[in-house]
Amino acid sequence: MANIWFGVPFNMILLSAGLAGIPHDIYEAASLDGAGAFRRFLHLTLPLLRPTIYALLALSTIYTMRALT
């Protein structure tokens, strides 16, 4: 329970930092091309956040394994 209490805010801070690093011009160009919100999320946001998500998974796994010992 304490691991979740510590992990969720940490993950949200890292995800928001990853989102802040995505340039707004890409979303503007996609909306001009006719992409809807779901397509922008699926084809722009997720691929650009993939390195951040992988880092979060690695860090969460390390912290969880550390908490279990």
Side-chain angles (χ1 to χ4, degrees), residues 33-45:
D33 287 341
F38 182 72
R39 288 238 186 240
R40 285 192 307 254
F41 176 75
L42 189 64
H43 294 291
L44 292 177
T45 305

Side-chain angles (χ1 to χ4, degrees), residues 32-62:
L32 286 175
D33 287 341
F38 182 72
R39 288 238 186 240
R40 285 192 307 254
F41 176 75
L42 189 64
H43 294 291
L44 292 177
T45 305
L46 280 182
L48 290 173
L49 279 180
R50 193 166 290 155
T52 305
I53 293 170
Y54 288 154
L56 279 175
L57 286 174
L59 288 173
S60 297
T61 303
I62 291 169

Side-chain angles (χ1 to χ4, degrees), residues 3-67:
N3 191 25
I4 294 171
W5 188 257
F6 170 76
V8 170
F10 179 71
N11 291 342
M12 289 300 117
I13 289 172
L14 287 180
L15 280 174
S16 67
L19 281 172
I22 298 174
H24 184 69
D25 299 340
I26 295 173
Y27 291 112
E28 186 177 341
S31 65
L32 286 175
D33 287 341
F38 182 72
R39 288 238 186 240
R40 285 192 307 254
F41 176 75
L42 189 64
H43 294 291
L44 292 177
T45 305
L46 280 182
L48 290 173
L49 279 180
R50 193 166 290 155
T52 305
I53 293 170
Y54 288 154
L56 279 175
L57 286 174
L59 288 173
S60 297
T61 303
I62 291 169
Y63 288 144
T64 302
M65 293 300 159
R66 208 174 89 196

